Short mmCIF file of all heavy atoms in Angstrom, two decimals:
data_model
loop_
_atom_site.label_atom_id
_atom_site.label_comp_id
_atom_site.label_asym_id
_atom_site.label_seq_id
_atom_site.Cartn_x
_atom_site.Cartn_y
_atom_site.Cartn_z
N ARG A 53 -2.62 13.05 -2.31
CA ARG A 53 -3.89 13.35 -1.64
C ARG A 53 -4.98 13.77 -2.60
O ARG A 53 -6.16 13.55 -2.32
CB ARG A 53 -3.69 14.41 -0.56
CG ARG A 53 -3.16 15.74 -1.09
CD ARG A 53 -3.05 16.77 0.03
NE ARG A 53 -2.10 16.37 1.07
CZ ARG A 53 -0.79 16.60 1.02
NH1 ARG A 53 -0.26 17.23 -0.01
NH2 ARG A 53 -0.02 16.20 2.02
N ASP A 54 -4.60 14.36 -3.73
CA ASP A 54 -5.57 14.78 -4.73
C ASP A 54 -5.63 13.84 -5.93
O ASP A 54 -6.25 14.18 -6.94
CB ASP A 54 -5.26 16.20 -5.20
CG ASP A 54 -3.88 16.34 -5.80
OD1 ASP A 54 -3.16 15.34 -5.89
OD2 ASP A 54 -3.51 17.47 -6.20
N ASP A 55 -5.00 12.69 -5.84
CA ASP A 55 -4.95 11.67 -6.88
C ASP A 55 -4.20 12.11 -8.12
O ASP A 55 -4.25 11.42 -9.15
CB ASP A 55 -6.36 11.22 -7.28
CG ASP A 55 -7.09 10.48 -6.19
OD1 ASP A 55 -6.46 10.08 -5.19
OD2 ASP A 55 -8.32 10.30 -6.33
N GLU A 56 -3.48 13.22 -8.06
CA GLU A 56 -2.78 13.73 -9.23
C GLU A 56 -1.55 12.89 -9.58
O GLU A 56 -1.22 12.73 -10.76
CB GLU A 56 -2.37 15.18 -9.02
CG GLU A 56 -1.69 15.82 -10.21
CD GLU A 56 -1.38 17.28 -10.00
OE1 GLU A 56 -1.81 17.83 -8.97
OE2 GLU A 56 -0.70 17.88 -10.86
N LYS A 57 -0.87 12.36 -8.57
CA LYS A 57 0.36 11.61 -8.79
C LYS A 57 0.21 10.20 -8.23
O LYS A 57 -0.32 10.00 -7.15
CB LYS A 57 1.55 12.29 -8.12
CG LYS A 57 1.91 13.63 -8.71
CD LYS A 57 3.23 14.14 -8.16
CE LYS A 57 3.16 14.39 -6.66
NZ LYS A 57 4.43 14.98 -6.13
N THR A 58 0.70 9.24 -8.99
CA THR A 58 0.81 7.87 -8.53
C THR A 58 2.20 7.34 -8.86
O THR A 58 2.87 7.84 -9.76
CB THR A 58 -0.24 6.94 -9.15
OG1 THR A 58 -0.13 6.97 -10.58
CG2 THR A 58 -1.65 7.37 -8.75
N TYR A 59 2.62 6.33 -8.12
CA TYR A 59 3.92 5.71 -8.32
C TYR A 59 3.77 4.21 -8.16
O TYR A 59 3.02 3.74 -7.29
CB TYR A 59 4.94 6.23 -7.31
CG TYR A 59 6.16 5.35 -7.19
CD1 TYR A 59 7.22 5.49 -8.08
CD2 TYR A 59 6.24 4.36 -6.22
CE1 TYR A 59 8.33 4.67 -8.00
CE2 TYR A 59 7.35 3.55 -6.12
CZ TYR A 59 8.40 3.70 -7.02
OH TYR A 59 9.49 2.88 -6.93
N TYR A 60 4.49 3.47 -8.98
CA TYR A 60 4.58 2.03 -8.84
C TYR A 60 6.02 1.60 -9.00
O TYR A 60 6.72 2.06 -9.91
CB TYR A 60 3.72 1.31 -9.89
CG TYR A 60 2.25 1.64 -9.80
CD1 TYR A 60 1.68 2.62 -10.59
CD2 TYR A 60 1.44 0.95 -8.90
CE1 TYR A 60 0.33 2.92 -10.49
CE2 TYR A 60 0.09 1.24 -8.80
CZ TYR A 60 -0.45 2.22 -9.59
OH TYR A 60 -1.79 2.51 -9.50
N ALA A 61 6.47 0.73 -8.14
CA ALA A 61 7.78 0.14 -8.30
C ALA A 61 7.84 -0.65 -9.60
O ALA A 61 6.83 -1.22 -10.05
CB ALA A 61 8.10 -0.78 -7.12
N ASP A 62 9.02 -0.69 -10.21
CA ASP A 62 9.16 -1.39 -11.47
C ASP A 62 8.72 -2.85 -11.38
O ASP A 62 8.17 -3.41 -12.33
CB ASP A 62 10.61 -1.33 -11.95
CG ASP A 62 11.01 0.04 -12.44
OD1 ASP A 62 10.12 0.87 -12.73
OD2 ASP A 62 12.23 0.30 -12.53
N SER A 63 8.93 -3.46 -10.23
CA SER A 63 8.61 -4.86 -10.06
C SER A 63 7.11 -5.15 -10.08
O SER A 63 6.72 -6.31 -10.29
CB SER A 63 9.21 -5.38 -8.75
OG SER A 63 8.73 -4.65 -7.64
N VAL A 64 6.27 -4.13 -9.86
CA VAL A 64 4.83 -4.34 -9.82
C VAL A 64 4.09 -3.56 -10.89
O VAL A 64 2.87 -3.72 -11.04
CB VAL A 64 4.24 -4.00 -8.43
CG1 VAL A 64 5.00 -4.74 -7.34
CG2 VAL A 64 4.27 -2.49 -8.18
N LYS A 65 4.78 -2.72 -11.62
CA LYS A 65 4.14 -1.87 -12.62
C LYS A 65 3.40 -2.72 -13.65
O LYS A 65 3.93 -3.69 -14.18
CB LYS A 65 5.19 -1.00 -13.30
CG LYS A 65 4.64 0.17 -14.10
CD LYS A 65 5.78 1.07 -14.59
CE LYS A 65 6.55 1.67 -13.44
NZ LYS A 65 7.64 2.57 -13.90
N GLY A 66 2.16 -2.32 -13.93
CA GLY A 66 1.33 -3.06 -14.86
C GLY A 66 0.52 -4.17 -14.22
O GLY A 66 -0.39 -4.70 -14.87
N ARG A 67 0.83 -4.54 -12.98
CA ARG A 67 0.11 -5.59 -12.28
C ARG A 67 -0.68 -5.07 -11.09
O ARG A 67 -1.72 -5.63 -10.76
CB ARG A 67 1.08 -6.67 -11.80
CG ARG A 67 1.85 -7.35 -12.92
CD ARG A 67 2.65 -8.54 -12.40
NE ARG A 67 3.69 -8.13 -11.46
CZ ARG A 67 3.75 -8.52 -10.18
NH1 ARG A 67 2.83 -9.35 -9.69
NH2 ARG A 67 4.74 -8.11 -9.40
N PHE A 68 -0.18 -4.03 -10.42
CA PHE A 68 -0.81 -3.48 -9.23
C PHE A 68 -1.44 -2.13 -9.55
O PHE A 68 -0.92 -1.36 -10.37
CB PHE A 68 0.21 -3.28 -8.10
CG PHE A 68 0.75 -4.54 -7.49
CD1 PHE A 68 0.54 -5.79 -8.05
CD2 PHE A 68 1.49 -4.45 -6.31
CE1 PHE A 68 1.04 -6.93 -7.48
CE2 PHE A 68 2.00 -5.60 -5.73
CZ PHE A 68 1.78 -6.83 -6.31
N THR A 69 -2.55 -1.82 -8.87
CA THR A 69 -3.23 -0.54 -9.03
C THR A 69 -3.65 -0.02 -7.67
O THR A 69 -4.29 -0.73 -6.90
CB THR A 69 -4.47 -0.66 -9.94
OG1 THR A 69 -4.09 -1.20 -11.21
CG2 THR A 69 -5.10 0.71 -10.15
N ILE A 70 -3.30 1.23 -7.37
CA ILE A 70 -3.69 1.86 -6.13
C ILE A 70 -4.89 2.77 -6.39
O ILE A 70 -4.97 3.42 -7.45
CB ILE A 70 -2.52 2.65 -5.50
CG1 ILE A 70 -2.85 3.11 -4.08
CG2 ILE A 70 -2.10 3.82 -6.38
CD1 ILE A 70 -1.63 3.65 -3.33
N SER A 71 -5.82 2.83 -5.45
CA SER A 71 -7.01 3.66 -5.62
C SER A 71 -7.56 4.05 -4.27
O SER A 71 -7.20 3.48 -3.23
CB SER A 71 -8.07 2.93 -6.45
OG SER A 71 -8.52 1.76 -5.79
N ARG A 72 -8.44 5.03 -4.28
CA ARG A 72 -9.11 5.52 -3.07
C ARG A 72 -10.62 5.40 -3.21
O ARG A 72 -11.16 5.52 -4.31
CB ARG A 72 -8.82 7.00 -2.81
CG ARG A 72 -7.41 7.41 -2.57
CD ARG A 72 -7.36 8.94 -2.53
NE ARG A 72 -6.02 9.45 -2.28
CZ ARG A 72 -5.56 9.80 -1.09
NH1 ARG A 72 -6.33 9.69 -0.01
NH2 ARG A 72 -4.33 10.27 -0.96
N ASP A 73 -11.30 5.20 -2.09
CA ASP A 73 -12.74 5.35 -2.00
C ASP A 73 -12.98 6.27 -0.81
O ASP A 73 -13.05 5.82 0.33
CB ASP A 73 -13.45 4.01 -1.83
CG ASP A 73 -14.95 4.14 -1.87
OD1 ASP A 73 -15.49 5.25 -1.64
OD2 ASP A 73 -15.62 3.12 -2.15
N ASN A 74 -13.09 7.56 -1.08
CA ASN A 74 -13.20 8.52 0.01
C ASN A 74 -14.50 8.36 0.80
O ASN A 74 -14.53 8.67 1.99
CB ASN A 74 -13.09 9.94 -0.54
CG ASN A 74 -11.69 10.28 -0.99
OD1 ASN A 74 -10.72 9.69 -0.54
ND2 ASN A 74 -11.58 11.25 -1.89
N ALA A 75 -15.55 7.89 0.16
CA ALA A 75 -16.80 7.67 0.87
C ALA A 75 -16.65 6.63 1.96
O ALA A 75 -17.32 6.69 2.99
CB ALA A 75 -17.90 7.27 -0.10
N LYS A 76 -15.78 5.64 1.74
CA LYS A 76 -15.52 4.61 2.73
C LYS A 76 -14.26 4.87 3.54
O LYS A 76 -13.91 4.07 4.41
CB LYS A 76 -15.40 3.24 2.05
CG LYS A 76 -16.67 2.78 1.37
CD LYS A 76 -16.48 1.41 0.73
CE LYS A 76 -17.75 0.93 0.07
NZ LYS A 76 -17.59 -0.40 -0.55
N ASN A 77 -13.57 5.98 3.25
CA ASN A 77 -12.33 6.33 3.93
C ASN A 77 -11.32 5.18 3.85
O ASN A 77 -10.66 4.84 4.84
CB ASN A 77 -12.58 6.72 5.39
CG ASN A 77 -11.67 7.85 5.85
OD1 ASN A 77 -11.25 8.69 5.06
ND2 ASN A 77 -11.37 7.87 7.15
N THR A 78 -11.19 4.62 2.67
CA THR A 78 -10.39 3.42 2.46
C THR A 78 -9.55 3.56 1.19
O THR A 78 -10.03 4.11 0.19
CB THR A 78 -11.28 2.18 2.35
OG1 THR A 78 -12.03 2.03 3.57
CG2 THR A 78 -10.46 0.93 2.13
#
Side-chain angles (χ1 to χ4, degrees):
R53 61 177 63 86
D54 59 1
D55 293 347
E56 183 176 353
K57 295 190 296 184
T58 58
Y59 163 84
Y60 299 96
D62 288 342
S63 58
V64 307
K65 194 173 299 181
R67 300 188 296 119
F68 290 12
T69 304
I70 190 169
S71 63
R72 298 173 180 264
D73 186 339
N74 289 336
K76 297 181 179 180
N77 216 29
T78 300

